[in-house]
């Protein structure tokens, strides 16, 4: 882990020096003039006009992950409740297994599904409808674009992280002390009231912890996002259907062109993105682990 | 005055009960809907992969190498096997060793720290590990895109995972088993390797299988370390890129040719079926294991 951080920092250091702080708040990814001679800026060899800023990546990453969380949480909680208490007793094991299977599917296959099934469906039917009926909400107006974009990426991400939330939460619900539930029922609460007011609050930390883990996964997810996000360049999303890029998918999609840069500053700038992504996702993960640990035992 | 208010109260109470009943039904409906939504998506995803994949399967797939946008997947199939298998060979001993250490001797602060960082490392995005592999092995060591770089990168992903699953598995082995072994005068290492490890073997194996499944399904880190090759592996560990199935899915679905799409769907079917099969196998092992522990 330390080696990971160290090597990335060392390798990215020239880029960190060259880019400075505006790396974080500018919307430019410009390799410079590829066929000119490199010039020296502040002791670093770079191409003329080279300029790097990744605000659009940070925004794309955070927005898509947070939207995915917003979609996945209610579905995850509902699914967990159904799997733990709602489903016919005999089917519970099988159905849970079915849901957990989803967690094992390779992410590139999710991308394939998004590309082949979701995008045509969304762009032809769902998004135009949404823009018409939800258009009064600021972020949901048209134009609806091609189907690639923020909301599509969020949907695919949500589908990928729901099983994580649902499985953890289901186990926790099953492990809730019977006495707690009996106490709820004994004051006359309905089964939903017991779940909503007694069981779920007692699992608050598990819920937060597992959502954070899911968020960490969403932040770092690469292939599925790469295939459905539209891979926007230097462009901030202006509605829910805009194309975006995330940090991880950008690293993949830009390697080929970054390798064209003879000063290798572009590749180092990609390393700087990887470094920032590492710090963000490791931070989220650490927080989640700490929360889960204090939740006790799990 | 009094009777009226009591009738009123009854009326109110009844209304509230009705309202709460409605909310109860509503809550369960939402819960069922959430599950149905998820199940539909899973079913559709599996249906797509099975349906389109099955119609693209042919014998050529297994015997021919990829040729432009057509041909077979022999190079990718063997490549996936080599990468994941090689990674497993590297990661399994290291992971199991760390796991044994954590469960048997890692009670102190140091053990907690290792456990914590292993958990965090499991959560590090695979692309970051891929980039790490790229700048160290591909560039600094000068291995270029190669089997070694790819397999080692996957191994870095697998080690913390295997270590943690081994740790959790061995901690389920009852303490009495260890005490009995110590009572017979066994040394630390003999207790761990000969007694505790075999007792927890099914669960440890489950972790290894799941790590293998994760490695097989990876794409992003391999793009940076293994590259891609149209040819069968020629035996070189370094300097020669290798093909793998997940690459085919991502690249060929974006090509406008039907033959490329067929390859992509076939690759998706193969990799999904393989990964899910491993998952099912691992799960079966684990249920058998917990039943055995419970029976004791």
């Amino acid at each position: 882990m330390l080696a990971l951080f160290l090597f990335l920092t060392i390798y990215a250091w020239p880029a960190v020096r060259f880019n400075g702080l505006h790396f974080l708040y500018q919307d430019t990814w410009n390799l410079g003039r590829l066929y000119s001679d490199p010039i020296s800026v502040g002791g670093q060899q770079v191409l003329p006009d080279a300029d790097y800023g990744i605000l659009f990546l940070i925004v794309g990453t955070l927005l898509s992950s947070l939207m995915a969380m917003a979609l996945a949480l209610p579905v995850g909680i509902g699914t967990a409740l159904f799997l733990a208490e709602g489903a016919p007793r005999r089917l519970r094991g099988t159905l849970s297994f079915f849901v957990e299977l989803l967690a094992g599917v390779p992410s590139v296959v999710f991308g394939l599904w998004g590309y082949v099934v979701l995008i045509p469906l969304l762009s032809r039917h769902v998004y135009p409808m949404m823009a018409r009926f939800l258009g009064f909400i600021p972020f949901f107006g048209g134009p609806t674009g091609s189907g690639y974009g923020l909301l599509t990426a969020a949907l695919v991400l949500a589908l990928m992280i729901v099983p994580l939330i649902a499985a953890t939460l289901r186990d926790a619900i099953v492990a809730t002390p019977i006495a707690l539930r009996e106490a709820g029922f004994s004051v006359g609460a309905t089964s939903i009231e017991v779940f909503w007011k007694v069981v779920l609050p007692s699992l608050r930390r598990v819920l937060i912890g597992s959502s954070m883990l899911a968020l960490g996964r969403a932040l770092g997810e690469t292939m599925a996002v790469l295939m459905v996000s539209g891979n926007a360049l230097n462009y901030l999303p202006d509605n829910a259907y805009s194309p975006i890029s995330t940090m991880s998918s950008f690293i993949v999609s830009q390697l080929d062109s970054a390798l064209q840069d003879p000063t290798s500053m572009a590749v180092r700038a990609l390393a700087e993105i990887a470094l920032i992504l590492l710090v963000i996702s490791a931070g989220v993960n650490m927080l989640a682990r700490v929360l889960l640990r204090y939740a006790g035992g799990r | 005055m009094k009777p009226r208010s009591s009738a009123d109260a009854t009326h109110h109470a009844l209304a509230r009960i009705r309202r709460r009943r409605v909310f109860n039904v509503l809550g369960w409906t939402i819960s069922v809907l959430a599950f149905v939504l998820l199940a539909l998506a899973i079913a559709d995803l599996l249906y797509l992969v099975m349906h389109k994949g099955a119609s693209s399967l042919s014998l050529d797939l297994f015997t021919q190498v990829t040729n432009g946008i057509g041909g077979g997947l022999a190079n990718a199939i063997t490549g996936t096997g080599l990468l994941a298998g090689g990674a497993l060979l590297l990661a399994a001993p290291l992971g199991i060793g760390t796991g044994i250490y954590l469960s048997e001797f890692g009670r102190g602060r140091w053990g907690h720290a290792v456990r914590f960082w292993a958990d965090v490392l499991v959560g590090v995005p695979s692309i970051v590990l891929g980039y790490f592999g790229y700048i160290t092995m591909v560039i600094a060591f000068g291995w270029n895109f190669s089997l070694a770089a790819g397999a080692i990168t996957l191994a870095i992903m697998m080690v913390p995972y295997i270590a943690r699953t081994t740790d959790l598995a061995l901690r389920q082995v009852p303490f009495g088993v260890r005490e009995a072994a110590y009572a017979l005068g066994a040394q630390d290492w003999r207790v761990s390797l000969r007694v505790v490890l075999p007792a927890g073997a099914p669960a440890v194996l489950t972790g290894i299988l799941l790590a293998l499944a994760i490695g097989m399904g990876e794409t992003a880190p391999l793009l940076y370390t293994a590259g891609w090759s149209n040819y069968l592996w020629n035996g070189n560990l370094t300097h020669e890129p290798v093909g793998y199935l997940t690459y085919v899915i991502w690249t060929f679905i974006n090509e406008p040719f039907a033959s490329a799409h067929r390859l992509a769907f076939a690759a998706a079917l193969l990799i999904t079926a393989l990964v899910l099969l491993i998952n099912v196998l691992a799960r079966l092992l684990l249920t058998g294991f917990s039943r055995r522990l419970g029976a004791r």
Side-chain angles (χ1 to χ4, degrees):
Chain A
M1 184 73 206
L2 198 66
L4 198 63
F5 183 75
L6 217 65
F7 275 107
L8 276 175
T9 311
I10 292 172
Y11 190 78
W13 192 244
V16 177
R17 290 274 304 278
F18 171 67
N19 292 321
L21 261 184
H22 62 220
F23 192 62
L24 296 178
Y25 59 81
Q26 258 184 5
D27 285 320
T28 43
W29 182 269
N30 185 356
L31 299 186
R33 278 174 282 146
L34 275 179
Y35 299 104
S36 322
D37 289 327
I39 53 169
S40 180
V41 177
Q44 315 291 343
Q45 291 277 307
V46 289
L47 291 172
D49 295 340
D51 194 7
Y52 301 102
I54 58 160
L55 181 67
F56 67 105
L57 292 180
I58 297 175
V59 169
T61 309
L62 293 183
L63 262 186
S64 60
S65 298
L66 291 178
M67 280 171 73
M69 286 298 303
L71 292 166
L73 258 184
V75 178
I77 295 175
T79 305
L81 173 62
F82 179 74
L83 291 176
E85 293 177 9
R89 205 165 281 274
R90 210 176 289 168
L91 288 177
R92 278 178 201 172
T94 319
L95 292 180
S96 307
F97 180 65
F98 187 56
V99 168
E100 280 169 39
L101 259 195
L102 195 61
V105 174
S107 71
V108 68
V109 176
F110 279 101
L112 181 74
W113 182 75
Y115 180 88
V116 175
V117 176
L118 211 51
I119 285 181
L121 177 76
L122 292 175
S123 67
R124 273 180 222 148
H125 305 292
V126 180
Y127 285 172
M129 287 265 278
M130 280 179 63
R132 238 176 90 195
F133 294 110
L134 299 175
F136 60 91
I137 307 170
F139 215 52
F140 288 91
T144 54
S146 58
Y148 296 90
L150 181 56
L151 191 56
T152 316
L155 279 168
V156 173
L157 281 176
L159 183 61
M160 296 183 69
I161 59 179
V162 160
L164 293 177
I165 300 176
T168 321
L169 203 58
R170 188 200 86 100
D171 291 347
I173 293 173
V174 171
T176 307
I178 287 282
L180 208 60
R181 229 175 294 220
E182 281 170 349
F185 282 119
S186 70
V187 294
T190 62
S191 50
I192 281 292
E193 281 168 347
V194 169
F195 175 71
W196 192 248
K197 294 182 176 160
V198 179
V199 177
L200 205 55
S202 78
L203 300 175
R204 201 174 52 238
R205 285 213 182 101
V206 175
L207 185 61
I208 295 173
S210 65
S211 325
M212 297 278 287
L213 284 185
L215 180 65
R217 170 133 188 228
L219 287 171
E221 179 45 48
T222 310
M223 298 312 293
V225 176
L226 183 62
M227 291 169 82
V228 301
S229 68
N231 298 317
L233 187 64
N234 302 340
Y235 176 77
L236 284 178
D238 39 41
N239 65 19
Y241 321 106
S242 308
I244 55 155
S245 282
T246 66
M247 295 161 85
S248 51
S249 65
F250 192 76
I251 295 174
V252 166
S253 64
Q254 290 298 309
L255 179 66
D256 279 341
S257 51
L259 283 174
Q260 306 297 314
D261 180 349
T263 64
S264 80
M265 184 54 79
V267 183
R268 287 177 196 274
L270 286 183
E272 192 179 350
I273 300 179
L275 185 64
I276 295 172
L277 182 61
L278 174 69
V279 171
I280 294 179
S281 63
V284 169
N285 269 292
M286 277 158 75
L287 204 61
R289 301 287 169 190
V290 170
L291 279 173
L292 277 179
R293 176 160 303 169
Y294 286 115
R298 200 170 288 277
Chain B
M1 196 71 190
K2 221 173 185 186
R4 261 200 72 159
S5 91
S6 135
D8 240 23
T10 319
H11 179 75
H12 273 297
L14 279 178
R16 214 173 71 206
I17 288 174
R18 211 171 297 130
R19 204 171 60 228
R20 287 176 50 203
R21 236 180 239 155
V22 169
F23 271 118
N24 196 32
V25 171
L26 201 69
W28 282 109
T29 315
I30 292 172
S31 159
V32 172
L33 274 182
F35 173 77
V36 168
L37 196 69
L38 188 63
L40 274 181
I42 306 174
D44 190 58
L45 191 147
L46 292 180
Y47 171 76
L48 171 82
V49 171
M50 299 295 160
H51 178 70
K52 294 250 188 167
S55 61
S56 326
L57 282 181
S58 68
L59 198 63
D60 288 352
L61 226 52
F62 300 94
T63 55
Q64 289 183 9
V65 295
T66 313
N67 180 7
I69 49 147
L73 293 171
N75 49 331
I77 295 171
T78 49
T80 292
L82 283 168
L83 284 163
L88 197 64
L89 277 183
L90 294 170
L94 215 65
I96 294 175
T98 314
I100 292 176
Y101 168 77
L102 283 179
S103 83
E104 304 303 302
F105 312 108
R107 310 257 165 219
R109 183 170 297 209
W110 174 241
H112 270 294
V114 173
R115 213 168 273 140
F116 181 77
W117 285 107
D119 277 344
V120 174
L121 194 54
V122 169
V124 166
S126 60
I127 182 67
V128 173
L129 294 175
Y131 212 97
F132 171 73
Y134 175 74
I135 61 177
T136 51
M137 288 174 275
V138 176
I139 293 183
F141 298 171
W143 290 356
N144 296 339
F145 291 133
S146 59
L147 179 63
I152 292 175
T153 305
L154 287 186
I156 296 175
M157 286 183 60
M158 290 178 180
V159 167
Y161 189 82
I162 296 179
R164 283 298 275 142
T165 47
T166 304
D167 174 24
L168 290 174
L170 295 188
R171 275 200 280 171
Q172 293 206 347
V173 176
F175 248 98
V177 174
R178 292 185 184 90
E179 282 162 1
Y182 278 118
L184 290 175
Q187 300 287 320
D188 274 348
W189 67 269
R190 196 179 276 270
V191 173
S192 319
L193 289 184
R194 287 287 180 74
V195 179
V196 179
L197 191 58
V204 173
L205 202 58
T206 302
I208 294 179
L209 282 176
L210 290 178
L212 181 69
I214 292 173
M216 283 187 149
E218 269 305 336
T219 321
L222 293 178
L223 293 171
Y224 264 84
T225 51
W228 162 255
S229 160
N230 277 334
Y231 303 102
L232 283 172
W233 184 54
N234 60 6
N236 286 336
L237 282 181
T238 56
H239 296 96
E240 290 288 339
V242 262
Y244 41 92
L245 284 168
T246 42
Y247 178 92
V248 178
I249 304 173
W250 170 57
T251 329
F252 285 15
I253 199 65
N254 280 311
E255 301 278 347
F257 307 103
S259 66
H261 288 184
R262 266 205 299 282
L263 279 188
F265 280 115
L269 173 65
L270 289 178
I271 200 72
T272 310
L274 225 86
V275 166
L276 292 188
L277 206 68
I278 294 176
N279 267 288
V280 172
L281 201 69
R283 220 48 74 93
L284 288 179
L285 254 174
L286 200 62
T287 8
F289 174 62
S290 28
R291 212 166 276 152
R292 218 178 72 187
L293 273 188
R296 265 185 198 155

